[in-house]
Amino acid sequence: MTKHILETLQQRRLSNRKSFAVLIDPDKISDTGSLVKLINIAVENKVDFFLVGGSLLTGSNMRQIIQLIKDHSQLPVILFPGSNLHVDVTADAILFLSLISGRNPELLIGQQVIAAPIVKRSNLEVLATGYILINADNQTTVSYMSNTVPIPADKYSVAVCTAMAGEMLGLKLIYMDAGSGAKFPISPKMIAAVRKSIDIPLIVGGGIDSVTKAIASLKAGADMLVIGNGIEKNPNLLIEVSDAVNSLNQTLDIH
Ligand code: 1GP
């Protein structure tokens, strides 16, 4: 697969086109049958990407999951690693994350130094991403595992300045995450404030468990949505959100 994911996201950002990624948490895959079903629904509904990963992985089925996605679709598989142990060179791309909302040097640069030679030797497209955690009401696995304090949900200027600094440091994407299974998604007000302050694509995820919340995030300015838990609980959400993304994109074709 050619390395064009970043370029695609940048071009879509320019024309205000939205993207949708389904997050597969390898630990939550109990049987391949339901995963294949989900992959087929994703293909039929024109999902853009699969993200694979999580902040804590206890199993060793990552490679099989990537293979299964590749066997049943041509959708790009992007790694969403919680640590350098989660790098798998059989994926198409990697969110090469620096947790810029935190002050934990291991996740700002330490893990990346260890992963660098493996990623360099691979054929993975490297997506340099400023990862920003926003506080949800509950403590999420990612905030606990990362040993960092997420940005408070109402501190818009902290999120804005963090995203701006990430862009100025040369990162190519910003991923604002309330954390998997967050009680509340990131507020539209915060998404809008951050989106206005940067020129690079903005990925938003965490706690989006309804099409209403998805549309609110998209309209506020998310360039790409990531949904995991919501789809695990209700696979129809995938279809509803895909429809919403596709119809928002179609309105651009009409104008
Ligand atoms: C988590 O943003 C992703 O890092 C997705 O979150 O599982 O809550 O959809 P959910």
Side-chain angles (χ1 to χ4, degrees), residues 134-135 151-157 187 190:
I134 306 294
N135 194 36
I151 295 174
D154 59 349
K155 300 292 182 216
Y156 309 113
S157 54
S187 71
M190 182 165 270

Side-chain angles (χ1 to χ4, degrees), residues 23 80 131 175 177 179-182 205-207 226-229:
L23 172 64
F80 178 38
Y131 190 43
Y175 186 166
D177 196 353
S180 202
V226 179
I227 306 185
N229 268 272

Side-chain angles (χ1 to χ4, degrees), residues 21 43 51 58 93 97 126 190 192 203 226:
V43 172
L51 253 57
T58 60
L97 303 167
V126 178
M190 182 165 270
I203 305 170
V226 179

Side-chain angles (χ1 to χ4, degrees), residues 21 23 25 28 51 53-55 80 131 133 140 142 175-183 203-209 225-233 237:
L23 172 64
D25 178 343
K28 296 195 179 142
L51 253 57
S55 29
F80 178 38
Y131 190 43
L133 290 178
T140 55
V142 63
Y175 186 166
M176 273 212 298
D177 196 353
S180 202
K183 259 193 206 158
I203 305 170
V204 172
I208 301 170
D209 57 7
L225 285 191
V226 179
I227 306 185
N229 268 272
I231 291 172
E232 283 157 25
K233 290 185 191 138
L237 182 63

Side-chain angles (χ1 to χ4, degrees), residues 15-251:
S15 58
N16 211 18
R17 260 160 225 281
K18 311 295 185 183
S19 305
F20 176 29
V22 172
L23 172 64
I24 306 284
D25 178 343
D27 273 1
K28 296 195 179 142
I29 301 301
S30 48
D31 66 297
T32 50
S34 41
L35 179 58
V36 170
K37 216 165 141 190
L38 184 71
I39 297 166
N40 290 335
I41 299 175
V43 172
E44 275 163 33
N45 288 277
K46 301 191 173 61
V47 161
D48 297 288
F49 308 104
F50 275 109
L51 253 57
V52 178
S55 29
L56 176 67
L57 300 184
T58 60
S60 55
N61 55 349
M62 174 100 108
R63 183 153 294 190
Q64 291 95 302
I65 287 171
I66 295 169
Q67 190 57 50
L68 207 63
I69 297 173
K70 293 193 158 293
D71 288 346
H72 292 87
S73 82
Q74 297 201 323
L75 293 178
V77 179
I78 305 175
L79 296 176
F80 178 38
S83 91
N84 55 51
L85 294 173
H86 304 160
V87 175
D88 189 307
V89 298
T90 62
D92 299 301
I94 179 169
L95 290 178
F96 204 70
L97 303 167
S98 180
L99 180 47
I100 57 175
S101 60
R103 298 297 178 266
N104 178 350
E106 259 312 291
L107 297 182
L108 275 165
I109 185 65
Q111 295 272 323
Q112 295 81 343
V113 171
I114 296 165
I118 302 158
V119 173
K120 182 83 179 177
R121 278 197 301 272
S122 76
N123 209 21
L124 292 165
E125 178 177 356
V126 178
L127 306 168
T129 304
Y131 190 43
I132 298 179
L133 290 178
I134 306 294
N135 194 36
D137 207 32
N138 50 330
Q139 186 170 41
T140 55
T141 308
V142 63
S143 69
Y144 181 81
M145 290 302 293
S146 67
N147 199 16
T148 65
V149 181
I151 295 174
D154 59 349
K155 300 292 182 216
Y156 309 113
S157 54
V158 179
V160 162
C161 295
T162 305
M164 287 195 311
E167 181 176 24
M168 288 172 192
L169 282 165
L171 297 170
K172 304 291 189 233
L173 303 168
I174 294 292
Y175 186 166
M176 273 212 298
D177 196 353
S180 202
K183 259 193 206 158
F184 302 108
I186 298 169
S187 71
K189 201 168 162 185
M190 182 165 270
I191 296 171
V194 169
R195 171 56 145 77
K196 260 186 252 148
S197 69
I198 55 171
D199 292 315
I200 53 179
L202 175 62
I203 305 170
V204 172
I208 301 170
D209 57 7
S210 73
V211 71
T212 314
K213 290 175 190 172
I215 292 172
S217 304
L218 291 166
K219 289 198 168 160
D223 295 295
M224 172 161 124
L225 285 191
V226 179
I227 306 185
N229 268 272
I231 291 172
E232 283 157 25
K233 290 185 191 138
N234 168 23
N236 270 338
L237 182 63
L238 187 159
I239 302 170
E240 290 167 12
V241 174
S242 291
D243 282 353
V245 170
N246 293 330
S247 47
L248 273 176
N249 287 342
Q250 270 164 21
T251 56

